[in-house]
Protein backbone atom coordinates (compact mmCIF):
# COMPACT_ATOMS: atom_id res chain seq x y z
CA UNK A 1 0.00 0.00 0.00
CA UNK A 2 1.14 3.51 -0.82
CA UNK A 3 0.79 6.67 1.20
CA UNK A 4 -0.13 9.98 -0.39
CA UNK A 5 0.01 13.58 0.78
CA UNK A 6 -3.20 15.25 1.95
CA UNK A 7 -2.13 18.23 -0.12
CA UNK A 8 -1.28 16.37 -3.31
CA UNK A 9 2.24 17.77 -3.30
CA UNK A 10 4.42 14.66 -3.00
CA UNK A 11 4.89 11.37 -4.76
CA UNK A 12 3.25 8.29 -3.19
CA UNK A 13 5.58 6.54 -0.74
CA UNK A 14 5.73 3.22 1.09
CA UNK A 15 4.65 2.90 4.73
CA UNK A 16 8.30 2.69 5.83
CA UNK A 17 9.07 5.90 3.96
CA UNK A 18 6.02 7.67 5.42
CA UNK A 19 7.04 6.62 8.92
CA UNK A 20 10.64 7.65 8.37
CA UNK A 21 9.67 11.08 7.01
CA UNK A 22 7.06 11.80 9.70
CA UNK A 23 5.27 14.50 7.76
CA UNK A 24 5.28 15.32 4.07
CA UNK A 25 8.44 17.38 3.49
CA UNK A 26 6.54 19.85 1.31
CA UNK A 27 3.71 20.26 3.85
CA UNK A 28 0.73 18.02 4.44
CA UNK A 29 0.34 14.61 6.03
CA UNK A 30 0.75 11.08 4.73
CA UNK A 31 -2.44 9.05 4.48
CA UNK A 32 -3.14 5.59 3.08
CA UNK A 33 -4.09 5.79 -0.55
CA UNK A 34 -6.95 3.40 0.11
CA UNK A 35 -8.28 2.20 3.45
CA UNK A 36 -8.27 -1.60 3.72
CA UNK A 37 -11.55 -3.23 4.63
CA UNK A 38 -12.39 -5.88 7.15
CA UNK A 39 -15.41 -8.07 6.38
CA UNK A 40 -17.84 -9.19 9.06
CA UNK A 41 -16.29 -12.66 8.83
CA UNK A 42 -12.86 -11.23 9.52
CA UNK A 43 -14.28 -9.22 12.41
CA UNK A 44 -15.83 -12.38 13.82
CA UNK A 45 -12.50 -14.15 13.58
CA UNK A 46 -10.92 -11.53 15.86
CA UNK A 47 -13.14 -12.60 18.74
CA UNK A 48 -11.10 -14.54 21.27
CA UNK A 49 -7.77 -13.55 19.77
CA UNK A 50 -5.02 -11.93 21.82
CA UNK A 51 -4.23 -8.23 21.59
CA UNK A 52 -0.94 -9.14 19.93
CA UNK A 53 -2.62 -11.25 17.25
CA UNK A 54 -5.14 -8.54 16.48
CA UNK A 55 -2.32 -6.00 16.38
CA UNK A 56 -0.39 -8.01 13.82
CA UNK A 57 -3.44 -8.42 11.66
CA UNK A 58 -4.37 -4.73 11.65
CA UNK A 59 -0.79 -3.61 11.05
CA UNK A 60 -0.39 -6.05 8.17
CA UNK A 61 -3.30 -4.37 6.38
CA UNK A 62 -1.59 -0.98 6.42
CA UNK A 63 2.14 -1.73 6.55
CA UNK A 64 2.35 -3.93 3.49
CA UNK A 65 6.08 -3.37 3.06
CA UNK A 66 6.80 -4.93 6.47
CA UNK A 67 7.08 -8.70 6.56
CA UNK A 68 4.88 -10.80 8.86
CA UNK A 69 7.99 -11.64 10.84
CA UNK A 70 8.92 -7.99 11.25
CA UNK A 71 5.44 -7.19 12.44
CA UNK A 72 5.53 -10.04 14.89
CA UNK A 73 8.83 -8.71 16.25
CA UNK A 74 7.64 -5.13 16.66
CA UNK A 75 4.36 -6.21 18.26
CA UNK A 76 6.10 -8.48 20.73
CA UNK A 77 8.66 -5.81 21.55
CA UNK A 78 5.85 -3.34 22.31
CA UNK A 79 2.88 -5.15 23.77
CA UNK A 80 4.45 -7.43 26.35
CA UNK A 81 4.14 -7.96 30.08
CA UNK A 82 7.14 -5.80 30.90
CA UNK A 83 5.67 -2.74 29.21
CA UNK A 84 2.01 -3.29 30.01
CA UNK A 85 0.70 -4.26 33.41
CA UNK A 86 -2.26 -6.28 32.15
CA UNK A 87 -2.46 -9.23 29.82
CA UNK A 88 -5.37 -7.58 27.94
CA UNK A 89 -3.09 -4.54 27.24
CA UNK A 90 -6.16 -2.28 26.98
CA UNK A 91 -8.87 -3.64 29.29
CA UNK A 92 -12.36 -2.16 29.55
CA UNK A 93 -14.42 -1.44 32.64
CA UNK A 94 -18.20 -1.55 32.54
CA UNK A 95 -19.47 1.78 33.83
CA UNK A 96 -23.19 1.04 33.56
CA UNK A 97 -25.63 -0.92 31.40
CA UNK A 98 -24.69 0.91 28.23
CA UNK A 99 -21.25 2.37 28.63
CA UNK A 100 -17.73 1.07 28.97
CA UNK A 101 -14.50 2.80 29.81
CA UNK A 102 -11.56 1.62 27.73
CA UNK A 103 -8.42 1.95 29.87
CA UNK A 104 -5.60 2.94 27.56
CA UNK A 105 -3.09 3.77 30.28
CA UNK A 106 -1.56 0.50 31.42
CA UNK A 107 1.71 1.21 29.63
CA UNK A 108 4.90 2.48 31.33
CA UNK A 109 4.04 6.20 31.50
CA UNK A 110 0.37 6.05 32.61
CA UNK A 111 -1.06 7.78 29.53
CA UNK A 112 -2.61 6.44 26.34
CA UNK A 113 0.32 7.71 24.27
CA UNK A 114 2.13 4.52 25.28
CA UNK A 115 -0.28 2.50 23.15
CA UNK A 116 1.38 3.97 20.07
CA UNK A 117 4.77 5.03 21.35
CA UNK A 118 5.80 1.64 22.65
CA UNK A 119 5.41 0.35 19.10
CA UNK A 120 6.34 3.25 16.86
CA UNK A 121 10.12 3.37 17.58
CA UNK A 122 10.39 -0.25 16.47
CA UNK A 123 8.50 0.55 13.29
CA UNK A 124 10.88 3.42 12.70
CA UNK A 125 14.02 1.34 13.23
CA UNK A 126 12.74 -1.22 10.71
CA UNK A 127 11.80 1.59 8.33
CA UNK A 128 15.33 2.97 8.45
CA UNK A 129 16.72 -0.50 7.72
CA UNK A 130 14.36 -0.81 4.75
CA UNK A 131 15.30 2.47 3.11
CA UNK A 132 18.93 1.71 3.94
CA UNK A 133 19.70 5.01 5.54
CA UNK A 134 23.09 5.47 7.11
CA UNK A 135 22.14 8.65 8.91
CA UNK A 136 21.35 9.05 12.56
CA UNK A 137 17.71 9.95 13.10
CA UNK A 138 16.81 12.89 15.31
CA UNK A 139 13.32 12.81 16.75
CA UNK A 140 11.92 16.22 17.70
CA UNK A 141 8.83 16.18 19.87
CA UNK A 142 6.64 19.06 20.97
CA UNK A 143 4.54 17.91 23.88
CA UNK A 144 1.76 19.20 26.06
CA UNK A 145 2.85 16.63 28.59
CA UNK A 146 2.04 13.02 27.89
CA UNK A 147 3.62 12.53 24.48
CA UNK A 148 6.96 13.70 25.82
CA UNK A 149 7.43 11.06 28.45
CA UNK A 150 5.84 8.35 26.34
CA UNK A 151 8.18 9.18 23.44
CA UNK A 152 11.22 9.33 25.73
CA UNK A 153 10.37 5.91 27.14
CA UNK A 154 9.67 4.47 23.71
CA UNK A 155 12.87 5.78 22.12
CA UNK A 156 15.39 5.76 24.93
CA UNK A 157 18.48 3.75 24.08
CA UNK A 158 17.08 2.75 20.67
CA UNK A 159 20.13 2.55 18.46
CA UNK A 160 20.57 5.06 15.64
CA UNK A 161 18.08 7.52 17.13
CA UNK A 162 18.36 10.67 19.24
CA UNK A 163 15.27 12.17 20.82
CA UNK A 164 14.74 15.80 21.87
CA UNK A 165 11.54 16.75 23.69
CA UNK A 166 10.22 20.33 24.07
CA UNK A 167 7.48 21.11 26.56
CA UNK A 168 5.81 24.37 27.61
CA UNK A 169 7.31 25.50 30.94
CA UNK A 170 4.50 25.62 33.47
CA UNK A 171 2.15 24.11 30.89
CA UNK A 172 2.46 20.55 32.16
CA UNK A 173 1.83 19.11 35.60
CA UNK A 174 4.64 18.78 38.14
CA UNK A 175 4.35 15.02 37.86
CA UNK A 176 4.56 15.12 34.06
CA UNK A 177 7.58 17.36 34.26
CA UNK A 178 9.28 15.14 36.82
CA UNK A 179 8.56 12.09 34.67
CA UNK A 180 10.30 13.74 31.74
CA UNK A 181 13.29 15.30 33.43
CA UNK A 182 14.20 12.07 35.22
CA UNK A 183 14.32 10.05 32.01
CA UNK A 184 17.38 7.88 31.66
CA UNK A 185 18.97 6.81 28.35
CA UNK A 186 22.04 8.13 26.57
CA UNK A 187 20.10 9.48 23.57
CA UNK A 188 17.45 11.61 25.36
CA UNK A 189 17.19 15.41 25.81
CA UNK A 190 14.39 17.42 27.42
CA UNK A 191 13.91 21.20 27.09
CA UNK A 192 11.44 23.52 28.91
CA UNK A 193 10.21 26.25 26.54
CA UNK A 194 8.79 29.64 27.62
CA UNK A 195 5.53 29.52 25.71
CA UNK A 196 2.40 27.41 25.31
CA UNK A 197 2.05 24.10 23.52
CA UNK A 198 0.99 25.62 20.20
CA UNK A 199 4.11 27.82 20.27
CA UNK A 200 6.25 24.73 20.86
CA UNK A 201 4.51 22.79 18.15
CA UNK A 202 4.73 25.50 15.52
CA UNK A 203 8.42 26.13 16.26
CA UNK A 204 9.15 22.44 15.85
CA UNK A 205 7.11 22.31 12.64
CA UNK A 206 9.05 25.30 11.37
CA UNK A 207 12.31 23.44 11.91
CA UNK A 208 11.00 20.52 9.88
CA UNK A 209 10.30 22.89 7.00
CA UNK A 210 13.64 24.73 7.18
CA UNK A 211 15.69 23.77 4.13
CA UNK A 212 18.94 25.34 5.32
CA UNK A 213 18.73 23.59 8.63
CA UNK A 214 18.07 20.30 6.89
CA UNK A 215 21.23 20.71 4.87
CA UNK A 216 23.24 21.55 7.96
CA UNK A 217 21.97 18.35 9.56
CA UNK A 218 22.79 16.28 6.53
CA UNK A 219 26.34 17.56 6.57
CA UNK A 220 26.58 16.10 10.04
CA UNK A 221 24.89 12.82 9.06
CA UNK A 222 21.67 13.57 10.90
CA UNK A 223 18.13 13.48 9.64
CA UNK A 224 14.95 14.65 11.35
CA UNK A 225 11.90 12.59 11.97
CA UNK A 226 8.88 13.13 14.16
CA UNK A 227 7.12 11.12 16.81
CA UNK A 228 4.20 13.52 17.10
CA UNK A 229 0.80 12.19 16.25
CA UNK A 230 1.18 13.49 12.71
CA UNK A 231 3.48 10.51 12.04
CA UNK A 232 1.60 7.63 10.49
CA UNK A 233 3.55 5.29 12.76
CA UNK A 234 1.78 6.90 15.70
CA UNK A 235 -1.67 6.59 14.25
CA UNK A 236 -1.75 3.08 12.94
CA UNK A 237 -1.15 1.40 16.35
CA UNK A 238 -4.15 3.28 17.71
CA UNK A 239 -6.51 1.55 15.31
CA UNK A 240 -5.72 -1.75 17.02
CA UNK A 241 -7.43 -1.09 20.34
CA UNK A 242 -10.72 -0.20 18.75
CA UNK A 243 -10.86 -3.63 17.14
CA UNK A 244 -9.44 -5.37 20.19
CA UNK A 245 -11.99 -3.80 22.56
CA UNK A 246 -14.84 -4.60 20.20
CA UNK A 247 -13.66 -8.22 20.02
CA UNK A 248 -13.43 -8.40 23.83
CA UNK A 249 -16.92 -6.98 24.26
CA UNK A 250 -18.23 -9.64 21.88
CA UNK A 251 -16.22 -12.40 23.58
CA UNK A 252 -17.66 -11.31 26.93
CA UNK A 253 -21.22 -11.43 25.66
CA UNK A 254 -21.74 -7.67 25.91
CA UNK A 255 -22.21 -7.21 22.18
CA UNK A 256 -23.16 -9.18 19.05
CA UNK A 257 -20.80 -9.13 16.09
CA UNK A 258 -22.08 -6.47 13.71
CA UNK A 259 -23.82 -4.47 16.43
CA UNK A 260 -22.95 -0.79 16.35
CA UNK A 261 -21.22 1.06 19.15
CA UNK A 262 -20.60 4.73 19.86
CA UNK A 263 -17.09 5.88 20.66
CA UNK A 264 -16.44 8.90 22.87
CA UNK A 265 -12.91 10.28 22.69
CA UNK A 266 -11.36 13.10 24.72
CA UNK A 267 -9.66 14.89 21.87
CA UNK A 268 -6.72 17.22 21.38
CA UNK A 269 -4.75 16.75 18.19
CA UNK A 270 -7.57 14.60 16.74
CA UNK A 271 -5.29 11.56 16.50
CA UNK A 272 -7.08 9.12 18.76
CA UNK A 273 -10.53 9.83 17.35
CA UNK A 274 -9.13 9.69 13.81
CA UNK A 275 -7.80 6.19 14.53
CA UNK A 276 -11.34 5.25 15.59
CA UNK A 277 -12.63 6.66 12.32
CA UNK A 278 -10.13 4.58 10.32
CA UNK A 279 -11.33 1.52 12.26
CA UNK A 280 -14.86 2.42 11.25
CA UNK A 281 -13.86 2.79 7.62
CA UNK A 282 -12.24 -0.64 7.81
CA UNK A 283 -15.52 -2.12 8.95
CA UNK A 284 -15.85 -1.63 12.70
CA UNK A 285 -19.57 -1.04 13.29
CA UNK A 286 -19.84 2.50 14.68
CA UNK A 287 -22.97 4.58 15.03
CA UNK A 288 -21.58 7.90 16.34
CA UNK A 289 -18.24 9.38 17.27
CA UNK A 290 -18.42 11.78 20.18
CA UNK A 291 -15.59 14.26 19.89
CA UNK A 292 -15.05 15.53 23.43
CA UNK A 293 -13.27 18.81 24.14
CA UNK A 294 -12.49 20.92 27.19
CA UNK A 295 -12.82 24.71 27.30
CA UNK A 296 -10.51 24.93 24.27
CA UNK A 297 -13.53 23.82 22.27
CA UNK A 298 -12.40 24.71 18.78
CA UNK A 299 -13.48 21.23 17.58
CA UNK A 300 -16.91 21.40 19.21
CA UNK A 301 -17.53 24.70 17.45
CA UNK A 302 -16.14 23.34 14.20
CA UNK A 303 -18.45 20.33 14.26
CA UNK A 304 -21.40 22.59 15.01
CA UNK A 305 -20.68 25.39 12.55
CA UNK A 306 -18.38 24.04 9.86
CA UNK A 307 -15.94 26.84 10.65
CA UNK A 308 -12.58 25.94 12.14
CA UNK A 309 -11.57 29.08 13.99
CA UNK A 310 -8.39 29.05 16.05
CA UNK A 311 -8.62 32.82 16.71
CA UNK A 312 -9.49 32.60 20.36
CA UNK A 313 -7.83 32.71 23.74
CA UNK A 314 -5.79 29.69 24.62
CA UNK A 315 -7.00 28.37 27.95
CA UNK A 316 -5.04 26.37 30.46
CA UNK A 317 -7.30 23.70 31.85
CA UNK A 318 -7.12 20.76 34.24
CA UNK A 319 -7.03 18.50 31.17
CA UNK A 320 -3.86 20.01 29.66
CA UNK A 321 -3.23 17.30 27.08
CA UNK A 322 -6.30 18.62 25.29
CA UNK A 323 -5.30 22.28 25.48
CA UNK A 324 -4.81 22.56 21.75
CA UNK A 325 -6.13 25.05 19.21
CA UNK A 326 -4.67 23.50 16.07
CA UNK A 327 -5.73 19.85 15.83
CA UNK A 328 -3.18 18.60 13.32
CA UNK A 329 -4.80 15.29 12.47
CA UNK A 330 -8.07 16.90 11.47
CA UNK A 331 -6.41 17.43 8.11
CA UNK A 332 -6.37 13.69 7.48
CA UNK A 333 -10.01 13.40 8.41
CA UNK A 334 -11.01 16.24 6.08
CA UNK A 335 -9.05 14.58 3.29
CA UNK A 336 -11.29 11.53 3.73
CA UNK A 337 -14.44 13.62 4.05
CA UNK A 338 -13.75 15.39 0.75
CA UNK A 339 -12.98 12.13 -1.09
CA UNK A 340 -9.29 12.97 -1.23
CA UNK A 341 -9.69 16.49 -2.58
CA UNK A 342 -6.11 17.65 -2.03
CA UNK A 343 -6.75 21.04 -3.66
CA UNK A 344 -9.48 21.79 -1.13
CA UNK A 345 -7.28 20.74 1.75
CA UNK A 346 -4.45 22.91 0.45
CA UNK A 347 -6.84 25.86 0.19
CA UNK A 348 -8.27 25.41 3.69
CA UNK A 349 -4.89 25.02 5.32
CA UNK A 350 -3.58 28.07 3.48
CA UNK A 351 -6.56 29.91 4.95
CA UNK A 352 -5.77 28.53 8.38
CA UNK A 353 -2.19 29.66 8.11
CA UNK A 354 -3.07 33.12 6.85
CA UNK A 355 -6.22 33.93 8.82
CA UNK A 356 -6.31 31.35 11.61
CA UNK A 357 -9.52 29.85 10.27
CA UNK A 358 -11.26 28.07 7.42
CA UNK A 359 -14.76 27.08 6.44
CA UNK A 360 -15.66 23.72 4.91
CA UNK A 361 -19.06 24.51 3.43
CA UNK A 362 -22.42 22.91 3.99
CA UNK A 363 -22.08 19.70 1.96
CA UNK A 364 -18.98 18.44 3.78
CA UNK A 365 -20.35 19.66 7.08
CA UNK A 366 -23.57 17.67 6.66
CA UNK A 367 -21.60 14.57 5.84
CA UNK A 368 -19.47 14.93 8.95
CA UNK A 369 -22.52 15.51 11.13
CA UNK A 370 -23.97 12.15 10.17
CA UNK A 371 -21.12 10.50 12.03
CA UNK A 372 -19.59 13.00 14.43
CA UNK A 373 -20.99 14.92 17.35
CA UNK A 374 -18.95 17.55 19.15
CA UNK A 375 -19.54 18.08 22.86
CA UNK A 376 -17.43 19.79 25.48
CA UNK A 377 -17.07 19.87 29.24
CA UNK A 378 -16.32 23.04 31.21
CA UNK A 379 -13.82 22.92 34.05
CA UNK A 380 -16.62 22.75 36.59
CA UNK A 381 -18.38 19.96 34.72
CA UNK A 382 -15.14 18.00 34.53
CA UNK A 383 -14.63 18.26 38.28
CA UNK A 384 -18.24 17.28 39.00
CA UNK A 385 -17.98 14.29 36.69
CA UNK A 386 -14.91 12.93 38.49
CA UNK A 387 -16.76 13.27 41.80
CA UNK A 388 -19.97 11.79 40.45
CA UNK A 389 -18.25 8.75 38.93
CA UNK A 390 -16.23 8.19 42.09
CA UNK A 391 -19.23 8.44 44.39
CA UNK A 392 -21.67 6.47 42.27
CA UNK A 393 -19.34 3.84 40.77
CA UNK A 394 -16.40 3.81 43.15
CA UNK A 395 -14.24 4.33 40.08
CA UNK A 396 -11.56 6.99 39.78
CA UNK A 397 -11.08 8.72 36.42
CA UNK A 398 -8.60 11.38 35.38
CA UNK A 399 -9.58 14.81 34.07
CA UNK A 400 -9.35 13.88 30.36
CA UNK A 401 -11.43 10.77 30.78
CA UNK A 402 -13.95 12.86 32.73
CA UNK A 403 -14.26 15.17 29.72
CA UNK A 404 -15.03 12.11 27.57
CA UNK A 405 -17.63 10.88 30.04
CA UNK A 406 -19.28 14.29 30.41
CA UNK A 407 -19.41 14.76 26.65
CA UNK A 408 -21.12 11.40 26.39
CA UNK A 409 -23.60 12.36 29.12
CA UNK A 410 -24.40 15.57 27.25
CA UNK A 411 -24.80 13.61 24.03
CA UNK A 412 -27.23 11.26 25.79
CA UNK A 413 -29.21 14.19 27.10
CA UNK A 414 -29.45 15.61 23.57
CA UNK A 415 -30.05 12.44 21.58
CA UNK A 416 -31.33 9.75 23.95
CA UNK A 417 -29.35 7.10 22.06
CA UNK A 418 -29.35 3.57 23.56
CA UNK A 419 -26.31 2.40 21.54
CA UNK A 420 -23.56 0.84 23.67
CA UNK A 421 -20.76 3.33 24.05
CA UNK A 422 -17.04 2.94 24.55
CA UNK A 423 -15.42 5.92 26.27
CA UNK A 424 -11.67 6.20 25.93
CA UNK A 425 -9.81 6.62 29.20
CA UNK A 426 -6.64 8.35 28.13
CA UNK A 427 -4.74 8.73 31.39
CA UNK A 428 -4.41 7.02 34.72
CA UNK A 429 -5.91 9.29 37.44
CA UNK A 430 -2.53 9.56 39.19
CA UNK A 431 -1.13 11.36 36.20
CA UNK A 432 -3.35 14.34 37.09
CA UNK A 433 -3.68 13.60 40.77
CA UNK A 434 -4.04 17.16 42.11
CA UNK A 435 -7.12 17.90 40.04
CA UNK A 436 -8.52 14.43 40.73
CA UNK A 437 -7.98 14.61 44.49
CA UNK A 438 -9.46 18.10 44.62
CA UNK A 439 -12.50 16.90 42.69
CA UNK A 440 -13.05 13.90 44.92
CA UNK A 441 -12.20 15.52 48.25
CA UNK A 442 -13.45 19.07 47.73
CA UNK A 443 -10.18 20.79 48.48
CA UNK A 444 -6.47 20.12 48.71
CA UNK A 445 -4.59 20.06 51.99
CA UNK A 446 -1.22 20.38 50.31
CA UNK A 447 0.28 21.70 47.10
CA UNK A 448 3.01 19.08 47.04
CA UNK A 449 2.08 16.91 44.07
CA UNK A 450 3.95 13.93 45.40
CA UNK A 451 2.18 14.14 48.72
CA UNK A 452 -1.05 14.40 46.74
CA UNK A 453 -0.30 11.08 45.05
CA UNK A 454 -0.13 9.38 48.46
CA UNK A 455 -3.25 11.15 49.70
CA UNK A 456 -5.22 10.06 46.66
CA UNK A 457 -4.07 6.51 47.19
CA UNK A 458 -5.05 6.63 50.85
CA UNK A 459 -8.47 8.05 50.08
CA UNK A 460 -9.46 5.88 47.13
CA UNK A 461 -7.48 2.72 47.72
CA UNK A 462 -6.49 2.72 44.04
CA UNK A 463 -2.86 1.72 43.72
CA UNK A 464 -0.47 4.37 42.37
CA UNK A 465 0.49 3.60 38.76
CA UNK A 466 3.91 1.98 38.70
CA UNK A 467 5.28 4.65 36.35
CA UNK A 468 4.50 7.34 38.94
CA UNK A 469 5.61 5.64 42.12
CA UNK A 470 8.68 7.04 43.93
CA UNK A 471 9.02 9.69 41.25
CA UNK A 472 10.30 12.43 43.54
CA UNK A 473 13.26 10.34 44.63
CA UNK A 474 14.47 9.91 41.08
CA UNK A 475 17.45 11.89 39.89
CA UNK A 476 16.80 14.93 37.67
CA UNK A 477 18.85 14.41 34.52
CA UNK A 478 17.61 17.23 32.29
CA UNK A 479 17.58 20.95 33.13
CA UNK A 480 17.60 22.72 29.77
CA UNK A 481 15.32 25.69 29.10
CA UNK A 482 14.85 28.21 26.26
CA UNK A 483 12.58 30.78 24.60
CA UNK A 484 10.41 29.71 21.64
CA UNK A 485 12.70 31.71 19.36
CA UNK A 486 15.71 29.72 20.55
CA UNK A 487 14.45 26.21 19.84
CA UNK A 488 16.59 25.88 16.75
CA UNK A 489 19.72 26.95 18.58
CA UNK A 490 18.90 24.50 21.31
CA UNK A 491 18.75 21.67 18.77
CA UNK A 492 22.11 22.73 17.33
CA UNK A 493 23.58 22.81 20.79
CA UNK A 494 22.32 19.37 21.71
CA UNK A 495 23.55 17.84 18.45
CA UNK A 496 26.88 19.65 18.65
CA UNK A 497 26.37 21.53 15.37
CA UNK A 498 28.06 24.75 16.47
C1 LIG B 1 -2.76 13.20 24.00
C2 LIG B 1 -3.88 13.07 24.95
C3 LIG B 1 -5.19 13.31 24.56
C4 LIG B 1 -5.56 13.80 23.18
O1 LIG B 1 -5.32 12.83 22.19
P1 LIG B 1 -5.27 13.25 20.65
O2 LIG B 1 -4.90 12.02 19.93
O3 LIG B 1 -4.26 14.34 20.54
O4 LIG B 1 -6.63 13.74 20.31
C5 LIG B 1 -6.18 13.11 25.49
N1 LIG B 1 -5.91 12.71 26.74
C6 LIG B 1 -4.64 12.48 27.16
C7 LIG B 1 -4.40 12.07 28.57
C8 LIG B 1 -3.60 12.64 26.27
O5 LIG B 1 -2.35 12.41 26.69
Amino acid sequence: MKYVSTRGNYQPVSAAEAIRLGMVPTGGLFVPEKIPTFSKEKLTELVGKSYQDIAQQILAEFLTDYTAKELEEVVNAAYNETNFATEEIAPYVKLDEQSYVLELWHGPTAAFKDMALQLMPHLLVKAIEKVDLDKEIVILVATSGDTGKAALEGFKDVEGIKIIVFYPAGGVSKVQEQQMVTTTGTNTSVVAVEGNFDDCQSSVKEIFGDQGFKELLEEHDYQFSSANSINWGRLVPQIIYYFASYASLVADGQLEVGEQINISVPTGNFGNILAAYYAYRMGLPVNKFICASNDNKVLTDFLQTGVYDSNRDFKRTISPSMDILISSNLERFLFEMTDHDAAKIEEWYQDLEQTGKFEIGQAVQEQIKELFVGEYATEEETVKTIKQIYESKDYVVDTHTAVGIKAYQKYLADYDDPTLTVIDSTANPYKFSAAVLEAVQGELETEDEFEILSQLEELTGLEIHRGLRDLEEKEVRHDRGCQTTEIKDEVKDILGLR
Side-chain angles (χ1 to χ4, degrees):
M1 177 182 321
K2 291 289 184 193
Y3 288 77
V4 296
S5 168
T6 47
R7 305 203 190 165
N9 53 0
Y10 208 72
Q11 77 272 16
V13 299
S14 66
E17 189 71 12
I19 290 169
R20 182 182 70 90
L21 287 168
M23 70 179 281
V24 180
T26 43
L29 302 176
F30 286 116
V31 283
E33 200 167 39
K34 191 165 170 285
I35 298 170
T37 52
F38 243 58
S39 62
K40 191 171 168 190
E41 288 66 44
K42 260 180 158 175
L43 193 61
T44 311
E45 281 167 22
L46 296 183
V47 178
K49 284 202 171 152
S50 69
Y51 193 91
Q52 293 78 2
D53 284 346
I54 294 175
Q56 274 182 56
Q57 212 169 323
I58 302 292
L59 294 177
E61 297 283 343
F62 286 99
L63 310 180
T64 50
D65 51 332
Y66 287 66
T67 65
K69 184 156 179 301
E70 286 172 329
L71 292 179
E72 186 182 347
E73 280 169 20
V74 299
V75 164
N76 290 338
Y79 304 123
N80 58 48
E81 278 167 35
T82 314
N83 297 336
F84 287 83
T86 69
E87 201 185 321
E88 298 111 301
I89 307 295
Y92 70 82
V93 168
K94 189 165 182 164
L95 203 57
D96 54 41
E97 280 315 303
Q98 74 174 79
S99 62
Y100 304 84
V101 173
L102 181 61
E103 295 182 343
L104 300 172
W105 41 257
H106 290 277
T109 76
F112 98 99
K113 303 289 194 289
D114 288 332
M115 300 304 302
L117 277 165
Q118 283 298 308
L119 185 81
M120 189 264 187
H122 303 290
L123 290 178
L124 183 62
V125 169
K126 297 254 186 274
I128 295 164
E129 286 168 14
K130 280 179 195 302
V131 293
D132 199 23
L133 197 75
D134 54 3
K135 291 202 164 36
E136 188 162 10
I137 293 281
V138 180
I139 301 283
L140 295 185
V141 180
T143 183
S144 52
D146 295 329
T147 306
K149 179 60 176 177
L152 288 162
E153 281 303 310
F155 282 100
K156 80 174 182 201
D157 294 328
V158 174
E159 216 161 302
I161 295 182
K162 274 197 167 65
I163 173 162
I164 308 175
V165 170
F166 296 94
Y167 70 93
V172 304
S173 80
K174 195 79 207 137
V175 167
Q176 286 178 320
E177 184 170 40
Q178 185 73 0
Q179 275 189 299
M180 288 192 275
V181 299
T182 57
T183 305
T184 57
T186 54
N187 60 343
T188 56
S189 301
V190 181
V191 186
V193 178
E194 297 298 329
N196 65 36
F197 170 67
D198 285 323
D199 297 334
C200 284
Q201 180 161 262
S202 36
S203 304
V204 166
K205 273 192 184 163
E206 211 176 286
I207 294 182
F208 280 120
D210 184 330
Q211 202 51 39
F213 202 57
K214 205 180 276 174
E215 281 160 20
L216 176 70
L217 279 180
E218 278 176 12
E219 282 166 28
H220 292 81
D221 285 331
Y222 284 120
Q223 174 147 25
F224 278 139
S225 191
S226 136
N228 277 37
S229 62
I230 52 175
N231 191 314
W232 180 251
R234 276 284 301 280
L235 254 167
V236 69
Q238 299 188 7
I239 300 172
I240 300 162
Y241 47 75
Y242 290 106
F243 279 101
S245 58
Y246 190 92
S248 304
L249 286 168
V250 173
D252 297 345
Q254 307 287 313
L255 203 64
E256 304 275 340
V257 179
E259 192 180 335
Q260 287 185 325
I261 55 168
N262 296 326
I263 301 177
S264 177
V265 186
T267 307
N269 244 332
F270 210 79
N272 201 3
I273 197 165
L274 178 72
Y277 170 76
Y278 279 122
Y280 159 78
R281 287 285 303 273
M282 290 176 74
L284 191 76
V286 179
N287 173 45
K288 278 272 164 15
F289 295 91
I290 301 155
C291 177
S293 298
N294 63 21
D295 270 333
N296 293 295
K297 59 184 188 65
V298 61
L299 287 166
T300 317
D301 294 344
F302 170 68
L303 290 168
Q304 269 159 20
T305 63
V307 180
Y308 192 96
D309 190 353
S310 67
N311 300 308
R312 58 181 77 205
D313 287 340
F314 176 87
K315 295 186 180 151
R316 284 194 175 174
T317 73
I318 54 173
S319 45
S321 302
M322 298 159 68
D323 290 348
I324 286 171
L325 294 180
I326 307 279
S327 300
S328 313
N329 269 306
L330 183 68
E331 180 169 341
R332 286 185 161 116
F333 177 62
L334 293 175
F335 187 70
E336 294 303 326
M337 280 292 153
T338 56
D339 286 327
H340 295 197
D341 189 343
K344 265 243 153 75
I345 302 297
E346 172 69 29
E347 182 192 317
W348 291 340
Y349 280 83
Q350 284 291 335
D351 286 350
L352 183 67
E353 203 167 291
Q354 281 154 20
T355 67
K357 64 178 193 176
F358 62 86
E359 184 167 357
I360 58 171
Q362 207 175 350
V364 181
Q365 193 196 346
E366 290 300 319
Q367 204 184 321
I368 294 176
K369 273 191 166 168
E370 277 173 30
L371 264 181
F372 277 67
V373 180
E375 300 278 4
Y376 79 105
T378 63
E379 294 288 270
E380 196 191 337
E381 287 170 337
T382 307
V383 168
K384 280 194 177 151
T385 303
I386 295 171
K387 191 173 165 70
Q388 181 219 330
I389 297 295
Y390 177 62
E391 287 176 351
S392 62
K393 314 282 177 201
D394 197 22
Y395 182 62
V396 193
V397 295
D398 93 295
T399 47
H400 304 75
T401 307
V403 168
I405 293 173
K406 183 67 200 178
Y408 169 59
Q409 291 173 347
K410 283 186 168 178
Y411 166 76
L412 271 190
D414 289 348
Y415 296 89
D416 191 26
D417 173 6
T419 308
L420 293 189
T421 300
V422 170
I423 304 162
D424 281 3
S425 177
T426 50
N428 176 276
Y430 284 101
K431 194 120 202 214
F432 301 93
S433 51
V436 173
L437 182 63
E438 193 171 358
V440 172
Q441 192 175 258
E443 59 187 38
L444 292 176
E445 291 152 6
T446 172
E447 285 189 0
D448 180 340
E449 281 195 34
F450 302 107
E451 173 60 24
I452 287 170
L453 286 177
S454 316
Q455 288 187 1
L456 186 59
E457 184 173 43
E458 226 165 85
L459 180 71
T460 63
L462 177 70
E463 203 184 333
I464 298 179
H465 189 284
R466 69 198 186 290
L468 300 166
R469 237 178 270 145
D470 308 323
L471 202 52
E472 70 207 295
E473 276 108 62
K474 290 194 176 149
E475 186 194 342
V476 173
R477 292 162 178 270
H478 307 272
D479 61 357
R480 284 176 179 271
C482 76
Q483 304 291 325
T484 38
T485 50
E486 298 166 345
I487 286 186
K488 207 181 281 180
D489 290 335
E490 202 63 27
V491 173
K492 282 189 196 165
D493 198 47
I494 289 166
L495 298 179
L497 304 184
R498 54 172 194 177

